[in-house]
Amino acid sequence: MDFAKYEALGNDYIVIDPSITGFVPLPENVRLACDRHHGLGGDGLLYGPLPAEEGFRLLTFNADGSECPQSGNGLRIFARYLRESGHTDADAFTLHSSAGPATVRVVDLDSGTVSAALGTASLDSRAVGAAGPARTLLREPLLAAGEPWEVTCVQLGGPHCVIPVAGRIADEALARTVGAAVRDHAMFLDRINVELLDVIDRETLRIEIFERGAGYTLASGSSACAAAVATHALGLTGSRVTVRMPGGEVEVGIGEDGTVTLTGVVRPVLRGRWAAGIGQRLAEGALA
Ligand SMILES: N[C@@H](CCC[C@H](N)C(=O)O)C(=O)O
């Protein structure tokens, strides 16, 4: 086997396991693997397990080849892969990503329900990577795509910009237009993931997502968590919410210690081998 592919509500990831296959995780190789016409296709790529003092370590990449600190869906997908590939038989263990350690729990392998504790969130502009004076990014005015918005920004495994769109239809077209403008906005020094938000009630949110590094996606775990943190900070929701996304829904809980936990289903799609040519290309390239 050269690769495995999994999806979480349509947010799909390629899993490359260096213990069984050659692959040099260069940006151009990640882009080729994730290309939906010339490669396997995916919103991102998970590379691991890598050596760790305890638990397992992985690298997480977006489809454009950029490395991201942490993916909520990626962590849960990788946890299921590790169980199904025999790397572990534990129900709960630690995954180390660039954002730090996260405890994952295989709640029910048959249904594919896996949870991940993503750590604590910050609304501090310095944590989010927003230009300007240090401040809490709650209802921050932002002009993008020719319109004024009030955004709430969250750092949770990566930067997120949550935009309530009450009174408008938050659909794919709006997500692609506003998402691209906000993702690349000059205020955000390392780009940003964008969530258009509908608050259904105190226990239910709906979001449309435009990810940095992947564009429009059907689901995003960290985006769902960021939206839940933002609405909790705005006093619109409690500490447990259901987040509906085009690909399906997840549960998000915010603990008394601020730990944000994501729970939902992840599913295997396929395991396969690269054709000789592309396989050789992906295994080449000297890491800098
Ligand atoms: N889809 C992921 C988010 C991936 C990372 C994001 N694109 C970033 O660059 O921060 C998720 O499920 O969290």
Side-chain angles (χ1 to χ4, degrees):
M1 180 198 82
D2 286 345
F3 58 75
K5 184 172 180 183
Y6 285 73
E7 56 89 13
L9 305 179
N11 186 210
D12 55 345
Y13 279 84
I14 300 167
V15 179
I16 300 289
D17 184 337
S19 66
I20 58 174
T21 188
F23 178 91
V24 180
L26 293 170
E28 58 265 30
N29 288 349
V30 173
R31 284 192 294 270
L32 175 56
C34 291
D35 187 294
R36 297 191 186 279
H37 301 288
H38 303 287
L40 177 59
D43 289 332
L45 185 145
L46 308 172
Y47 184 73
L50 299 169
E53 287 184 13
E54 60 84 32
F56 302 90
R57 187 166 66 87
L58 74 156
L59 298 178
T60 309
F61 297 93
N62 289 310
D64 71 351
S66 61
E67 186 177 352
C68 69
Q70 183 184 76
S71 160
N73 285 342
L75 288 172
R76 297 184 304 115
I77 282 171
F78 197 62
R80 181 166 184 173
Y81 169 75
L82 291 173
R83 277 292 296 269
E84 293 181 334
S85 55
H87 282 289
T88 182
D89 59 4
D91 286 334
F93 44 93
T94 302
L95 293 182
H96 297 271
S97 66
S98 304
T103 300
V104 292
R105 176 175 300 278
V106 180
V107 177
D108 176 24
L109 195 56
D110 291 338
S111 66
T113 304
V114 183
S115 71
L118 301 187
T120 56
S122 171
L123 281 68
D124 186 294
S125 59
R126 292 160 294 185
V128 169
R135 64 202 184 278
T136 299
L137 292 172
L138 206 58
R139 293 195 185 89
E140 173 97 357
L142 186 76
L143 186 64
E147 294 189 58
W149 307 95
E150 268 197 353
V151 306
T152 294
C153 298
V154 179
Q155 172 60 249
L156 181 62
H160 295 268
C161 183
V162 182
I163 308 177
V165 289
R168 298 194 49 172
I169 303 296
D171 59 11
E172 178 177 347
L174 192 63
R176 288 181 180 276
T177 303
V178 177
V182 174
R183 176 199 56 194
D184 300 332
H185 195 284
M187 185 169 93
F188 301 114
L189 306 175
D190 191 22
R191 304 186 300 169
I192 199 163
N193 300 288
V194 184
E195 297 83 23
L196 301 190
L197 170 70
D198 266 333
V199 181
I200 308 300
D201 58 36
R202 284 193 61 81
E203 291 80 30
T204 316
L205 305 178
R206 189 180 72 81
I207 61 173
E208 287 277 356
I209 304 139
F210 195 88
E211 286 190 32
R212 72 174 180 177
Y216 182 79
T217 60
L218 298 177
S220 167
S222 55
S223 295
C225 291
V229 167
T231 52
H232 189 252
L234 290 166
L236 302 175
T237 53
S239 59
R240 301 193 64 78
V241 290
T242 298
V243 182
R244 297 174 183 166
M245 298 171 280
E249 62 186 48
V250 293
E251 303 300 321
V252 178
I254 303 172
E256 290 184 4
D257 64 352
T259 298
V260 183
T261 301
L262 168 69
T263 303
V265 172
V266 299
R267 293 192 177 92
V269 175
L270 65 96
R271 292 175 178 235
R273 302 195 64 104
W274 304 107
I278 187 171
Q280 184 176 350
R281 279 180 65 187
L282 295 175
E284 291 174 348
L287 282 173

